[in-house]
Amino acid sequence: MILKYTAPLKGELSVPGDKSISHRSVMFGALSEGLTEVDNFLTGADCLSTISCFRQMGIDIVQEGTHVKIYGKGLHGLKAPGTILDAGNSGTTVRLMSGILAGQPFRSVITGDASIQKRPMKRIMTPLTMMHADISSIRQNGCAPLEIGGGNLQGIHYESPVASAQVKSCVLLAGLYAEGITKVTEPVISRNHSELMLRYFGADVRTEGTTASIVPNPRLIGQKVNVPGDISSAAYFIAAALLVPNSEVLLRNVGINPTRDGMLRVCKAMGADITFVNENRSGAEPCADILIRSSNLKGATIEGEIIPTLIDELPVIAVLGAFAQGTTVIRDAAELKVKESDRIAVMTENLSRIGCDVQATKDGMVIRGGKPLHGAVIDTKKDHRIAMSFAVAALACEGEMDIRDDDCVKISYPDFYKDLHALEQ
Ligand code: S3P
């Protein structure tokens, strides 16, 4: 796809529902008794993979656009899948479902696409094995496909070496089926949607500092869930409105959970004109309308505890750094290497192509911003967040951006280009 600047961005937009929360609404709905009704569900390919996995285990799910009904069968109501479970491109599906599968009285195999089959799964295999789950990597390379034989789990206190909501959620979900309490302590707090939503469905989940714990065998009851807009999708429009001169955009109903709002804090530190309007709650999740006006940005250092709260936004933050005056440093973000692509390598390569002075480091990058940048051919490696980040860069560059494999945006934002063009006026 060819993209270039046409006009300032103006107007309002409701970005699609949050990906993490959409996945969890299906998973927890399936494990609850009775109907769970979800509004503003994300219809991206990743969340559809989660729906299809639960259908394979006997759960009736009716999806009409963004409205989804899940007819839950309770904690012990899943049936053995007839075939291999396919998580597509979705790490959340593989890792969270592995925790659930570890508690089932049947064997299952879960895998996904070429990217998923390269992503590290030892991080969940280690704690699940400590809980006495029988889980193995079929190719013995620490990656999917994973074979999981469930049952007889033991509660543990797991000290996770990584701040990862997928690891934490996997262990807590296995904890639903364990003997005794299960606890997870992480080095820095990661997104807490599982804790909030499991509690909303009736589980006894407690948090203290960076430790979350769960009491096994709760009675989960189906609920109504209204999914807030995804701040990780909003991030592209926030960045575009900041970078394209004379823009003013209002994003409606975006989730601003403090374990996810790091990008907003970084933008403000870079000098961004961002205002919250109409702050409210959607179930357990805080949300707001966000008003963004074009701003002159300066570089920032992004490191430490803020990293997990903006981990998926770092590609587009790097784009902001490229256009900002001065130096932007990203560190403590080695996790970027094991996302849908190696995002340190892919971002630095593509930023160099558009003329940016950027250097990869072991756990991030250093960007010397403010040079005039130009369009180039972008190799996205089929990573949705890389494609959307360079679509934003296209609007602030000289010339045309040629984004390869641009349709990978369907993973998290099927209408991304349409929504972006609708704001150009
Ligand atoms: C997610 C957690 C994060 C994030 C991913 C979604 C989740 O991954 O990058 O896009 O829904 O729990 P990690 O837990 O691996 O950091």
Side-chain angles (χ1 to χ4, degrees):
M1 159 165 313
I2 305 285
L3 282 173
K4 61 176 187 192
Y5 170 81
T6 56
L9 302 180
K10 293 207 184 280
E12 292 185 17
L13 173 67
S14 296
V15 296
D18 187 274
K19 182 152 80 72
S20 295
I21 297 173
S22 296
H23 279 299
R24 285 158 173 82
S25 68
V26 172
M27 294 181 187
F28 305 167
L31 302 181
S32 295
E33 294 168 29
L35 177 65
T36 287
E37 237 177 306
V38 186
D39 279 308
N40 201 34
F41 183 81
L42 171 63
T43 59
D46 270 8
C47 299
L48 299 182
S49 296
T50 293
I51 290 187
S52 95
C53 288
F54 279 93
R55 281 187 177 142
Q56 274 179 263
M57 292 191 288
I59 303 297
D60 288 329
I61 302 176
V62 179
Q63 186 222 332
E64 284 159 356
T66 60
H67 186 74
V68 179
K69 289 186 203 155
I70 303 129
Y71 294 88
K73 295 201 167 145
L75 215 49
H76 302 282
L78 299 179
K79 73 171 180 42
T83 52
I84 292 175
L85 297 166
D86 183 1
N89 190 244
S90 172
T92 305
T93 309
V94 177
R95 295 200 178 109
L96 269 63
M97 285 199 49
S98 296
I100 295 171
L101 293 170
Q104 305 306 314
F106 50 75
R107 290 193 88 72
S108 51
V109 176
I110 186 161
T111 190
D113 67 8
S115 150
I116 275 292
Q117 292 185 36
K118 284 194 231 138
R119 296 183 65 187
M121 293 299 152
K122 279 212 181 105
R123 54 180 57 197
I124 56 158
M125 292 168 67
T126 300
L128 290 177
T129 305
M130 287 165 70
M131 295 177 83
H132 300 174
D134 173 12
I135 177 166
S136 57
S137 156
I138 288 179
R139 293 199 195 102
Q140 297 184 341
N141 60 356
C143 299
L146 301 175
E147 182 170 1
I148 303 171
N152 296 325
L153 298 182
Q154 187 59 51
I156 55 167
H157 183 171
Y158 185 56
E159 307 248 359
S160 177
V162 279
S164 158
Q166 293 179 354
V167 171
K168 172 175 61 178
S169 305
C170 168
V171 177
L172 292 175
L173 287 167
L176 289 170
Y177 297 93
E179 180 79 36
I181 289 179
T182 295
K183 289 189 181 186
V184 185
T185 300
E186 26 183 14
V188 174
I189 190 134
S190 65
R191 65 190 68 191
N192 64 357
H193 306 301
S194 293
E195 296 91 305
L196 294 179
M197 206 192 284
L198 279 167
R199 212 178 284 143
Y200 181 65
F201 276 76
D204 185 352
V205 178
R206 302 196 186 169
T207 48
E208 213 187 306
T210 62
T211 301
S213 62
I214 192 161
V215 175
N217 226 5
R219 193 162 167 225
L220 303 180
I221 307 289
Q223 300 293 334
K224 280 194 186 300
V225 178
N226 193 1
V227 181
D230 196 330
I231 192 164
S232 299
S233 298
Y236 305 103
F237 298 97
I238 294 170
L242 290 174
L243 293 180
V244 179
N246 303 316
S247 296
E248 181 168 324
V249 171
L250 182 67
L251 300 174
R252 292 267 184 216
N253 191 38
V254 181
I256 52 163
N257 179 317
T259 62
R260 292 284 300 283
D261 71 350
M263 186 216 179
L264 297 170
R265 288 184 266 148
V266 164
C267 285
K268 285 187 180 162
M270 293 175 89
D273 181 351
I274 294 180
T275 325
F276 287 173
V277 192
N278 184 25
E279 282 185 60
N280 59 81
R281 288 193 96 78
S282 184
E285 295 282 348
C287 43
D289 299 343
I290 304 178
L291 179 66
I292 309 107
R293 294 195 188 91
S294 343
S295 307
N296 292 321
L297 301 180
K298 57 182 193 299
T301 296
I302 303 135
E303 62 185 347
E305 292 200 352
I306 203 168
I307 294 293
T309 72
L310 46 65
I311 188 73
D312 292 340
E313 290 68 76
L314 282 170
V316 76
I317 289 173
V319 167
L320 289 177
F323 288 96
Q325 291 300 326
T327 304
T328 292
V329 180
I330 299 172
R331 51 169 94 94
D332 303 324
E335 277 293 298
L336 286 178
K337 294 187 196 168
V338 291
K339 293 295 177 187
E340 287 84 327
S341 67
D342 175 346
R343 288 181 176 161
I344 294 181
V346 178
M347 280 308 299
T348 51
E349 160 69 22
N350 285 305
L351 282 174
S352 303
R353 288 186 189 191
I354 67 170
C356 176
D357 179 353
V358 57
Q359 231 181 331
T361 62
K362 65 177 194 325
D363 60 355
M365 62 194 85
V366 177
I367 302 157
R368 289 184 186 81
K371 279 206 326 185
L373 303 175
H374 52 78
V377 173
I378 300 302
D379 182 0
T380 61
K381 303 282 182 211
K382 301 190 177 158
D383 181 335
H384 54 136
R385 302 216 184 274
I386 304 296
M388 291 187 276
S389 297
F390 281 90
V392 170
L395 306 187
C397 276
E398 283 292 318
E400 293 182 342
M401 199 75 85
D402 180 355
I403 298 176
R404 297 288 159 90
D405 293 311
D406 56 282
D407 68 335
C408 59
V409 302
K410 68 179 185 293
I411 292 298
S412 64
Y413 200 154
D415 287 333
F416 173 73
Y417 300 110
K418 189 173 134 246
D419 286 355
L420 189 60
H421 289 315
L423 290 174
E424 292 173 320
Q425 39 195 279

